Coordinates of all heavy atoms in Angstrom, one line a residue:
R643 N 17.8 65.2 177.2 CA 17.3 66.2 176.3 C 16.1 65.7 175.5 O 15.2 66.4 175.2 CB 18.4 66.7 175.4 CG 18.0 67.9 174.5 CD 19.1 68.4 173.7 NE 20.1 69.1 174.6 CZ 21.2 69.6 174.2 NH1 21.6 69.5 173.0 NH2 22.0 70.1 175.1
E644 N 16.1 64.4 175.1 CA 15.0 63.9 174.3 C 13.7 64.0 175.0 O 12.6 64.2 174.4 CB 15.3 62.4 174.0 CG 14.3 61.8 173.0 CD 14.7 60.4 172.6 OE1 15.8 60.2 172.2 OE2 13.8 59.5 172.7
T645 N 13.7 63.8 176.3 CA 12.4 63.9 177.1 C 12.2 65.2 177.8 O 11.0 65.6 178.1 CB 12.4 62.8 178.2 OG1 13.5 62.9 179.0 CG2 12.3 61.4 177.5
M646 N 13.3 66.0 178.0 CA 13.1 67.2 178.8 C 13.2 68.5 177.9 O 13.0 69.6 178.3 CB 14.1 67.3 179.9 CG 14.0 66.2 180.9 SD 15.1 66.3 182.3 CE 14.2 67.6 183.2
G647 N 13.6 68.3 176.7 CA 13.8 69.4 175.8 C 15.2 70.1 176.1 O 16.0 69.7 176.9
F648 N 15.4 71.3 175.5 CA 16.6 72.0 175.6 C 16.3 73.4 176.2 O 15.4 74.1 175.7 CB 17.3 72.2 174.3 CG 18.5 73.1 174.4 CD1 19.7 72.6 174.9 CD2 18.4 74.4 173.9 CE1 20.8 73.5 175.0 CE2 19.5 75.3 174.1 CZ 20.7 74.8 174.6
N649 N 17.1 73.7 177.2 CA 17.1 75.1 177.7 C 18.5 75.5 177.8 O 19.4 74.8 178.3 CB 16.5 75.1 179.1 CG 15.0 75.0 179.1 OD1 14.3 75.8 178.4 ND2 14.4 74.1 179.8
A650 N 18.8 76.7 177.4 CA 20.1 77.3 177.6 C 20.4 77.5 179.0 O 19.5 77.7 179.8 CB 20.2 78.7 176.8
V651 N 21.7 77.5 179.4 CA 22.1 77.7 180.8 C 21.5 79.0 181.4 O 21.2 79.0 182.6 CB 23.6 77.6 181.0 CG1 24.3 78.8 180.4 CG2 24.0 77.3 182.4
G652 N 21.3 80.0 180.6 CA 20.8 81.3 181.1 C 19.4 81.1 181.6 O 19.0 81.9 182.5
V653 N 18.6 80.2 181.0 CA 17.2 80.0 181.5 C 17.3 79.5 182.9 O 16.5 79.9 183.8 CB 16.5 79.0 180.6 CG1 15.1 78.6 181.1 CG2 16.3 79.6 179.2
Y654 N 18.2 78.5 183.2 CA 18.3 78.0 184.5 C 18.8 79.1 185.5 O 18.3 79.2 186.6 CB 19.2 76.8 184.5 CG 18.6 75.7 183.7 CD1 19.1 75.3 182.5 CD2 17.5 74.9 184.2 CE1 18.5 74.3 181.8 CE2 17.0 73.9 183.5 CZ 17.5 73.6 182.3 OH 16.9 72.6 181.5
E655 N 19.8 79.8 185.1 CA 20.3 80.9 185.9 C 19.2 81.9 186.3 O 19.1 82.3 187.5 CB 21.5 81.6 185.2 CG 22.7 80.8 185.1 CD 23.8 81.4 184.2 OE1 23.4 82.3 183.4 OE2 24.9 81.0 184.3
D656 N 18.4 82.3 185.3 CA 17.4 83.3 185.5 C 16.3 82.7 186.5 O 15.9 83.4 187.4 CB 16.7 83.7 184.2 CG 15.7 84.8 184.4 OD1 16.1 85.8 185.0 OD2 14.5 84.6 183.9
S657 N 16.0 81.4 186.3 CA 15.0 80.8 187.2 C 15.5 80.7 188.7 O 14.8 80.9 189.6 CB 14.6 79.4 186.7 OG 13.9 79.5 185.5
I658 N 16.8 80.4 188.8 CA 17.4 80.4 190.1 C 17.4 81.8 190.8 O 17.0 81.9 191.9 CB 18.9 79.9 190.0 CG1 18.9 78.4 189.7 CG2 19.6 80.1 191.3 CD1 20.2 77.8 189.3
K659 N 17.8 82.8 190.0 CA 17.8 84.2 190.6 C 16.4 84.6 191.0 O 16.2 85.3 192.0 CB 18.3 85.2 189.5 CG 19.8 85.0 189.3 CD 20.2 86.0 188.2 CE 21.7 85.7 187.9 NZ 22.1 86.4 186.6
K660 N 15.3 84.1 190.3 CA 14.0 84.5 190.7 C 13.4 83.5 191.8 O 12.2 83.7 192.2 CB 13.1 84.4 189.4 CG 13.3 85.4 188.4 CD 12.5 85.2 187.2 CE 12.7 86.3 186.2 NZ 11.9 86.1 185.0
G661 N 14.2 82.6 192.2 CA 13.7 81.7 193.3 C 12.7 80.6 192.7 O 12.0 80.1 193.5
R662 N 12.8 80.4 191.5 CA 11.8 79.4 190.8 C 12.5 78.2 190.3 O 11.9 77.5 189.5 CB 11.1 80.2 189.7 CG 10.2 81.2 190.3 CD 9.2 81.7 189.2 NE 8.3 82.6 189.8 CZ 7.4 83.2 189.0 NH1 7.3 83.0 187.7 NH2 6.6 84.1 189.5
L663 N 13.7 77.9 190.7 CA 14.3 76.6 190.5 C 14.8 76.1 191.8 O 15.6 76.8 192.5 CB 15.4 76.7 189.5 CG 15.9 75.4 188.9 CD1 16.4 75.6 187.5 CD2 16.8 74.7 189.7
W664 N 14.3 75.0 192.2 CA 14.6 74.4 193.5 C 15.3 73.1 193.3 O 15.0 72.4 192.3 CB 13.3 74.2 194.3 CG 12.4 75.4 194.5 CD1 12.8 76.7 194.4 CD2 11.0 75.3 194.8 NE1 11.7 77.5 194.6 CE2 10.6 76.7 194.8 CE3 10.1 74.3 195.0 CZ2 9.3 77.0 195.1 CZ3 8.8 74.6 195.2 CH2 8.4 76.0 195.3
V665 N 16.2 72.7 194.2 CA 16.8 71.4 194.2 C 16.5 70.6 195.4 O 16.2 71.1 196.4 CB 18.4 71.5 194.0 CG1 18.8 72.2 192.7 CG2 19.0 72.3 195.2
A666 N 16.5 69.3 195.2 CA 16.4 68.4 196.3 C 17.7 67.8 196.6 O 18.5 67.4 195.6 CB 15.4 67.2 196.0
L667 N 18.1 67.7 197.8 CA 19.4 67.2 198.2 C 19.2 66.1 199.2 O 18.3 66.1 200.0 CB 20.2 68.3 198.9 CG 20.3 69.6 198.1 CD1 21.0 70.7 198.9 CD2 21.1 69.4 196.8
D668 N 20.2 65.2 199.3 CA 20.2 64.2 200.3 C 20.8 64.8 201.6 O 21.2 65.9 201.6 CB 20.8 62.9 199.9 CG 22.3 63.0 199.6 OD1 22.9 64.0 200.0 OD2 22.8 62.0 199.1
K669 N 21.0 64.0 202.6 CA 21.5 64.5 203.9 C 23.0 64.9 203.8 O 23.5 65.6 204.6 CB 21.3 63.5 205.0 CG 22.1 62.2 204.8 CD 21.8 61.2 205.9 CE 22.4 59.9 205.6 NZ 22.1 58.9 206.6
N670 N 23.6 64.5 202.7 CA 25.0 64.9 202.5 C 25.2 66.0 201.5 O 26.2 66.3 201.0 CB 25.8 63.7 202.0 CG 25.9 62.6 203.1 OD1 26.2 62.9 204.3 ND2 25.6 61.4 202.7
A671 N 24.0 66.6 201.1 CA 24.0 67.7 200.2 C 24.3 67.3 198.8 O 24.7 68.1 197.9 CB 24.9 68.9 200.6
N672 N 24.0 66.0 198.4 CA 24.2 65.6 197.1 C 22.9 65.8 196.3 O 21.8 65.6 196.8 CB 24.5 64.1 197.0 CG 25.8 63.7 197.7 OD1 26.8 64.3 197.3 ND2 25.8 62.8 198.6
Y673 N 23.0 66.3 195.1 CA 21.9 66.6 194.2 C 21.1 65.4 193.9 O 21.6 64.4 193.4 CB 22.5 67.3 192.9 CG 21.5 67.4 191.8 CD1 20.6 68.5 191.8 CD2 21.4 66.5 190.7 CE1 19.8 68.7 190.7 CE2 20.6 66.7 189.7 CZ 19.7 67.8 189.7 OH 18.9 68.0 188.6
L674 N 19.8 65.5 194.1 CA 18.8 64.4 193.8 C 17.9 64.8 192.7 O 17.4 63.9 192.0 CB 17.9 64.1 195.0 CG 18.6 63.6 196.3 CD1 17.6 63.4 197.4 CD2 19.4 62.3 196.0
G675 N 17.7 66.0 192.4 CA 16.8 66.5 191.3 C 16.5 67.9 191.5 O 16.9 68.6 192.4

């Protein structure tokens, strides 16, 4: 939070619904970022 700031969970949900939050996964579908 100190470097990334704060966003309510709804901000992330909205970005996901709009296709504007993407994740990187490894070959085992583990979250990388």
